[in-house]
Amino acid sequence: MGKPLNVAYIPMLDYEAAWNLQKSIVRQLDKGEGPEQMLLLQHPPTYTIGTQNHPEHLLWSEEELKAQGISLFQIDRGGDITYHGPGQLVGYPLLVLGRDEVLDLHNYLRKLEQVMIDYLADQGIASGRKEGYTGVWIGDLKIAAIGIKFNRCKHGRGFVTSHGFAFNITSGIQLAGFQGIVPCGIEQYGVTSLEDITGKSYSVEQVAHDIVPYFQRLFPYDLSWSTEKEALQRL
C-alpha cells in the first residue's frame, strides 16, 4: 500500500490563487496534516519569472502585457521565465520527500520528466531530455517545462515540493504567449505542443486524467480524486 495522494483537476484558476493554494497545502503537509496533493489545472495567460531572475528575457513592455491580457509574477520556483495559458496542462505535485525515505531531489525532477516522456511514447511520440536543460524535448523543440521549489520542513525532516510542470497540449499555444519572452532563457531552441506534433485534437482535461496513471507508475501512491469545489475550499 502506498501513501494516499489526492488529485484534483481545475479547468481554470488564476495564477495567484493557485500559488496561494499551493502555499496553504505546503504548510499543512509540513505539519503532517492531510494527504499529499496533486493539482492539475490551466491558468489564464500568465508569465512567471523564477529565481534565476532574468527580467531581460521578458520582451514585452508593461503596456504590451496589458494589451495582451497577460499577468506577470515574480515567484519562488527554480528556473527562468515561462508562459502559462489556456491549452497547457499545469501540474503541481505537493509531496513530502525525505521524511520517511532517502532524499534525492534530482531524481524527483527526472521522474517528473519521465511521466511525460512515457505518456508521449504511448502517443507514438519519441521524446526525451536535452543535455544541459530541464524539461521534455522533441528534437530541438520543448514540449514541457519543469520548475520546482523544495520547501524545507519546519516541523521535522525533509521537504515539501511545490510548483511542477507545464505541458503544452493545444496547437498554437506558442503563438498565444511565448512570443513575448525568451522561454526559460533559451534563445536557440523553440517550443511545441502535443497537437502540433501529432496533428490530432486533444482535450486538456482528458490529458490530465490520462497522465495520472503514468505518474502513479513512478510515484507509488494510492490515488483518490477530489472535485474542483473540494480543492478550492482550501483557499
Side-chain angles (χ1 to χ4, degrees):
M1 293 286 290
K3 295 188 293 181
L5 179 72
N6 187 261
V7 184
Y9 176 72
I10 303 172
M12 186 63 63
L13 186 61
D14 176 78
Y15 188 86
E16 186 172 15
W19 193 12
N20 288 335
L21 179 56
Q22 288 185 74
K23 288 184 280 190
S24 174
I25 295 171
V26 167
R27 288 191 294 268
Q28 292 171 10
L29 292 175
D30 183 12
K31 296 175 184 178
E33 299 173 355
E36 293 164 76
Q37 307 280 330
M38 183 161 67
L39 306 174
L40 299 169
L41 48 83
Q42 297 180 73
H43 287 305
T46 306
Y47 290 141
T48 62
I49 301 177
T51 56
Q52 288 185 13
N53 195 22
H54 288 284
E56 69 274 15
H57 293 156
L58 174 61
L59 305 179
W60 284 345
S61 67
E62 185 176 341
E63 291 73 21
E64 288 172 306
L65 292 179
K66 288 181 180 178
Q68 296 291 332
I70 300 177
S71 302
L72 176 66
F73 291 90
Q74 179 82 50
I75 61 170
D76 57 355
R77 62 156 171 78
D80 204 309
I81 190 168
T82 195
Y83 171 71
H84 298 309
Q88 182 187 72
L89 175 62
V90 177
Y92 296 132
L94 300 141
L95 312 178
V96 180
L97 301 180
R99 186 168 286 175
D100 302 314
E101 73 282 341
V102 176
L103 183 63
D104 188 341
L105 301 181
H106 183 75
N107 184 54
Y108 170 72
L109 190 150
R110 296 280 87 87
K111 285 168 73 175
L112 271 190
E113 293 169 339
Q114 194 63 45
V115 170
M116 287 169 283
I117 291 170
D118 290 346
Y119 169 81
L120 288 167
D122 282 350
Q123 306 302 308
I125 302 167
S127 65
R129 302 175 179 88
K130 183 175 283 292
E131 186 175 356
Y133 300 96
T134 60
V136 179
W137 297 77
I138 300 171
D140 287 338
L141 299 175
K142 194 173 192 179
I143 194 168
I146 305 281
I148 303 297
K149 183 181 181 186
F150 297 107
N151 304 273
R152 186 179 293 276
C153 291
K154 299 175 182 178
H155 302 82
R157 298 173 57 243
F159 294 80
V160 182
T161 66
S162 58
H163 302 286
F165 64 84
F167 185 14
N168 300 331
I169 306 301
T170 65
S171 181
I173 186 172
Q174 61 268 40
L175 301 178
F178 283 108
Q179 292 180 345
I181 60 173
V182 180
C184 302
I186 304 170
E187 296 185 74
Q188 63 270 46
Y189 303 122
V191 295
T192 190
S193 72
L194 184 57
E195 288 188 348
D196 287 321
I197 291 295
T198 64
K200 301 177 183 177
S201 296
Y202 287 84
S203 156
V204 174
E205 181 173 6
Q206 188 61 55
V207 174
H209 283 82
D210 290 346
I211 207 167
V212 168
Y214 295 87
F215 181 89
Q216 194 175 22
R217 289 179 193 173
L218 297 172
F219 297 90
Y221 285 88
D222 289 331
L223 301 182
S224 62
W225 283 82
S226 65
T227 65
E228 175 186 358
K229 182 178 179 180
E230 289 168 337
L232 294 179
Q233 284 176 344
R234 300 183 182 89
L235 277 173

